[in-house]
Amino acid sequence: MSETNKAIFLSYAKQDAEAAERICTALRAAGMEIWFDQSELRGGDAWDASIRKQIKNCALFLAIISKNTRARQEGYFRLEWKLAVDRSHLMSQERAFLLPVAIDDTPEDSDNLPDRFKEVQWLRLRDGRVSDSFIDRVNRLLAVPAAASAQFSALAPPASATDARPSRSKRHSLLLGSAAFILAVLAAAAVRHYLNARAGVAPESAIAANPPSATAKIAGFNPPVHSIAVMPFANISGDPAQEYFSDGLSEELLDALSRLPGLHVAARTSSFSFKGKSITVTDIARALNVGALLEGSVRHDGTKVRISAQLISAVTGFELWSQTYDRDLKDVLKLQTDVAAAVIQSLRVKLIDDLPALVEAGGTHDPRALDLFFRARALGGHQSLQNLNQMVELTTQAIRLDPQYADAYTSRANAESNLAGGWDPQERIASRYAEARRDIERAIELAPQNGRSRAEYGTILQNGYLDFRGAQVQFAKAEEFSPSDVTSMASVANFQALMGRSAEASTTIRRALALNPLSPGAWANSAAAFLYIGLYEESIKASDHVASLGSSAGEETRCQALIALGKDQEALGHCQPADTAPKQASLAVLFNRLKRQSEAQAMLDQLVKENGDAAAYQYAGIYAQWGDMKTALKWIERAYEVKDPGVAFMKADPMLEPIRREPRFQAVVRKLNFPD
């Protein structure tokens, strides 16, 4: 064997030679270079020097584990293990080097094994029978640079990049955006430690005969029944520019699974936060509180795609199912149905009568339209004026290619709604919301049972038309059609909080926080919802968690919660710098309370100069807190006249408490026709 740093050293006991040869043959057939010593007579200085050299230079050390290695107290394989372990101590903790592969049911905590082997995730290949997913996994380990993994703190995804825009940042923006959720204790568990390799697998033939030792639950880990996370599929097309496509396909599968009743699906933001990191299946599953992971790879070439997918039990480490698909892109919808069917069968979820109709609704058979949609979706996580406009253009092109593409209409409506809610000049808002409404109604006409489309429609009715009763109908349908979709849940929780339905909002938030532990946006959404149902301490705790994830997205909410609690001096530090309209409004209130009148007036003047009537709702809150009831009521009436989306907050906003019982305030509430 040459001394290339891509070589794999295969270590085994002589009793396991047959299984070792199967593994070696399969890896070599896949184009990998293997050091596999088949000599009957081992030992001697020349052999010893050769072994030491190969272990020093190999990229991966694959140690076959079995009842034979466990039983033998001596053997040359133990020398190989020692040399490999010694080398691993010179490597960074993130480097994947040791790769134990169990060919039987030998438990991972067995005696007579190096402690270092017990610190990494094992792979399982019963009798050395190799699956496609094993080949794919080893390929990916060889492709990861030695220092590819990040530090502990990198478990938290970075906050989305956004353009600074101090003008017309409405109070309602605190609750909007894509959401996904998971319990704080699980998020804390995620930031534990790194292990070097990825998950354990076993061929399908081994599944039915798992012994008790293989199926025993991991201590302290009891995920919900039928719970799963869809990991970002690896792009193995050889072109980094194709990353958007592999991510897009992964998201399509995640969205499809989230529509299935009875299945608990972790949110995209959290599952994708592990992308590019060398973390074990067990650690990921603990962080997301799921019992299985779906992962794989995508090779995209023109209109053809090869997808390798595997479903892994996080409890046993065994592969539950795997399959490789070679498909034309026009058949991607059928592929999604096939994968969903396999997941349902493997996790023993209740069978669904018309699975294709549920999974494939809203999609396209046009490869070009699908590609454009994936490109648009890739921009959605980094909202900016440029990206939103580009999303509109890309989805428009997709719709021209396939006028029946419901998901493209929903995506365009979402971009249009975000432009109207945070970027458009005042004179463009009404027409933009009208465009968003036309698009979302067309999407629902094409795919009436798409829960995410229903949630988007509810948001457009709420913010663009102040039609809260109509919004309530759509949010109820979103819950019915997509009970596990975290994007829909965020909108539902937002609406429930604003309508004063505290118990329902709290339940939705906490249920939602069971699906996305590592998303700063999700925790910021929950902090804002807690604020508007009057749970100020809970709001501050959620904002603290946002900060622990490396984001400042919870600062505005923390500021407002501290003001509501009367902790003015503490709030002052969290409300600065005054770079958004909500912060400016909060500082105007704080400076007034702290008897810094000139600064309070200057802050209000700045807000008026930058926003005009677009911030009418904020002015009402400021004057109410200043004790100027007459002016506060004038501005709340003006907010209604200009259809400021902020009026949706009237029932819940603590800033308006001083004028809440005023007849003029109650008259505006009646005009808004809030649902009971």
Side-chain angles (χ1 to χ4, degrees):
M1 187 184 94
S2 69
E3 295 179 10
T4 173
N5 61 5
K6 290 293 184 182
I8 300 171
F9 187 100
L10 199 158
S11 174
Y12 66 100
K14 65 181 180 180
Q15 293 89 342
D16 298 324
E18 185 177 343
E21 188 166 2
R22 285 197 196 101
I23 295 172
C24 176
T25 300
L27 292 175
R28 282 177 175 167
M32 302 180 207
E33 187 172 6
I34 311 299
W35 169 251
F36 177 47
D37 178 41
Q38 295 177 277
S39 62
E40 289 292 329
L41 298 175
R42 294 181 170 184
D45 291 343
W47 180 88
D48 184 78
S50 174
I51 290 296
R52 290 177 184 274
K53 189 173 183 180
Q54 298 299 343
I55 293 175
K56 179 180 178 181
N57 291 324
C58 67
L60 289 174
F61 182 86
L62 194 159
I64 292 181
I65 310 295
S66 69
K67 61 183 180 182
N68 296 315
T69 58
R70 185 181 184 186
R72 290 185 59 184
Q73 300 297 315
E74 295 184 5
Y76 282 111
F77 67 88
R78 291 199 175 275
L79 172 62
E80 294 166 354
W81 288 3
K82 180 180 184 304
L83 293 172
V85 168
D86 288 347
R87 183 184 169 197
S88 73
H89 285 299
L90 301 175
M91 297 176 176
S92 69
Q93 192 176 8
E94 294 81 18
R95 168 73 183 274
F97 175 63
L98 299 175
L99 189 60
V101 174
I103 59 172
D104 55 26
D105 301 319
T106 301
E108 298 180 22
D109 59 353
S110 300
D111 51 7
N112 292 334
L113 287 177
D115 289 340
R116 196 72 163 175
F117 281 17
K118 300 175 184 180
E119 296 173 1
V120 299
Q121 187 72 34
W122 290 18
L123 305 183
R124 291 186 178 272
L125 301 175
R126 193 175 296 279
D127 298 326
R129 292 192 291 271
V130 173
S131 64
D132 289 342
S133 59
F134 173 77
I135 299 292
D136 179 61
R137 196 181 301 271
V138 174
N139 259 322
R140 279 184 279 159
L141 287 174
L142 289 174
V144 174
S149 300
Q151 300 298 322
F152 272 169
S153 59
L155 283 174
S160 297
T162 56
D163 289 357
R165 187 176 188 269
S167 63
R168 216 172 57 76
S169 295
K170 299 278 197 312
R171 198 183 301 271
H172 80 281
S173 67
L174 294 174
L175 290 178
L176 298 181
S178 174
F181 324 67
I182 275 193
L183 301 174
V185 63
L186 298 173
V191 191
R192 287 195 311 115
H193 63 86
Y194 275 109
L195 300 180
N196 298 36
R198 290 299 305 268
V201 295
E204 294 178 40
S205 59
I207 304 307
N210 286 345
S213 61
T215 57
K217 290 189 179 296
I218 301 171
F221 177 49
N222 187 25
V225 177
H226 306 152
S227 55
I228 185 174
V230 179
M231 307 308 293
F233 279 34
N235 168 32
I236 59 172
S237 301
D239 180 5
Q242 291 292 316
E243 201 77 11
Y244 77 91
F245 189 89
S246 56
D247 283 353
L249 190 59
S250 306
E251 291 185 63
E252 288 287 285
L253 290 170
L254 190 155
D255 289 348
L257 293 174
S258 70
R259 299 174 192 171
L260 306 183
L263 197 59
H264 173 109
V265 185
R268 183 261 188 210
T269 314
S270 282
S271 59
F272 274 49
S273 72
F274 295 98
K275 184 175 180 177
K277 299 182 177 72
S278 180
I279 305 173
T280 67
V281 163
T282 301
D283 277 3
I284 293 172
R286 281 180 176 272
L288 302 180
N289 197 34
V290 295
L293 299 184
L294 179 68
E295 62 177 18
S297 62
V298 178
R299 186 185 300 277
H300 177 213
D301 184 12
T303 61
K304 302 294 183 182
V305 63
R306 163 172 281 195
I307 298 167
S308 295
Q310 51 268 352
L311 184 68
I312 302 164
S313 167
V315 176
T316 68
F318 279 93
E319 184 177 278
L320 300 173
W321 161 85
S322 69
Q323 185 68 47
T324 297
Y325 303 90
D326 289 298
R327 297 285 174 87
D328 192 285
L329 283 178
K330 66 179 176 16
D331 297 324
V332 162
L333 292 177
K334 176 64 165 56
L335 167 67
Q336 293 175 36
T337 298
D338 290 345
V339 173
V343 169
I344 287 172
Q345 182 177 8
S346 299
L347 298 184
R348 295 179 173 84
V349 180
K350 183 180 178 181
L351 295 180
I352 296 168
D353 291 337
D354 193 355
L355 183 63
L358 185 61
V359 171
E360 300 176 21
T364 183
H365 294 283
D366 189 310
R368 297 168 299 168
L370 181 70
D371 186 82
L372 288 163
F373 178 75
F374 283 176
R375 291 177 186 273
R377 173 178 258 174
L379 299 170
H382 305 279
Q383 287 197 7
S384 66
L385 179 59
Q386 178 181 352
N387 281 358
L388 288 170
N389 281 325
Q390 193 172 353
M391 287 178 68
V392 170
E393 176 57 31
L394 289 168
T395 49
T396 298
Q397 292 178 40
I399 290 166
R400 288 195 191 112
L401 291 168
D402 182 358
Q404 308 299 309
Y405 195 176
D407 288 347
Y409 283 103
T410 299
S411 181
R412 187 167 72 177
N414 175 262
E416 290 163 338
S417 176
N418 283 326
L419 284 167
W423 302 93
D424 282 334
Q426 189 72 26
E427 62 273 13
R428 178 71 171 96
I429 294 174
S431 61
R432 183 81 79 176
Y433 270 126
E435 293 165 5
R437 183 170 186 168
R438 282 195 297 271
D439 277 343
I440 202 62
E441 288 177 348
R442 176 59 175 154
I444 290 172
E445 179 185 353
L446 292 167
Q449 292 190 321
N450 187 311
R452 187 169 296 181
S453 297
R454 296 289 186 163
E456 185 63 42
Y457 193 16
T459 299
I460 291 167
L461 291 175
Q462 171 185 311
N463 296 327
Y465 293 87
L466 306 183
D467 179 3
F468 303 108
R469 291 181 180 270
Q472 180 172 256
V473 171
Q474 297 306 319
F475 287 132
K477 290 184 179 295
E479 286 191 287
E480 176 187 354
F481 296 145
S482 296
S484 295
D485 181 72
V486 293
T487 302
S488 302
M489 280 188 193
S491 301
V492 170
N494 166 34
F495 183 79
Q496 291 169 335
L498 298 186
M499 295 302 104
R501 290 153 52 184
S502 301
E504 292 176 56
S506 182
T507 299
T508 302
I509 294 165
R510 298 181 194 283
R511 199 178 104 237
L513 287 175
L515 289 176
N516 195 359
L518 305 179
S519 166
W523 282 95
N525 289 338
S526 68
F530 282 134
L531 172 72
Y532 286 101
I533 61 176
L535 298 178
Y536 304 131
E537 296 289 357
E538 289 293 314
S539 178
I540 291 170
K541 289 177 183 177
S543 297
D544 288 340
H545 195 69
V546 175
S548 76
L549 293 173
S551 171
S552 61
E555 286 301 288
E556 289 179 0
T557 306
R558 188 207 310 270
C559 165
Q560 294 179 47
L562 289 168
I563 291 174
L565 289 169
K567 298 181 178 181
D568 298 341
Q569 286 290 351
E570 187 178 351
L572 195 59
H574 293 288
C575 293
Q576 299 184 74
D579 53 1
T580 66
K583 282 188 177 181
Q584 290 166 356
S586 297
L587 284 169
V589 171
L590 282 173
F591 286 143
N592 179 267
R593 287 187 182 181
L594 297 171
K595 311 301 182 185
R596 295 160 62 173
Q597 305 298 344
S598 61
E599 292 173 271
Q601 188 61 53
M603 193 58 61
L604 175 58
D605 292 344
Q606 180 183 342
L607 189 61
V608 172
K609 180 181 178 181
E610 293 179 351
N611 296 276
D613 282 1
Y617 180 81
Q618 273 92 345
Y619 307 150
I622 292 170
Y623 281 110
Q625 290 295 311
W626 283 7
D628 187 344
M629 307 305 175
K630 184 177 179 180
T631 308
L633 290 166
K634 181 192 78 171
W635 279 112
I636 206 68
E637 290 168 342
R638 181 59 179 158
Y640 173 77
E641 291 170 4
V642 299
K643 295 188 180 299
D644 186 332
V647 298
F649 291 68
M650 284 181 64
K651 294 182 69 174
D653 193 345
M655 293 287 233
L656 298 177
E657 200 59 39
I659 61 172
R660 193 170 302 284
R661 292 172 180 79
E662 293 290 329
R664 289 168 63 186
F665 183 93
Q666 291 298 322
V668 174
V669 170
R670 286 192 295 274
K671 289 178 183 177
L672 289 169
N673 195 27
F674 288 115
D676 299 328

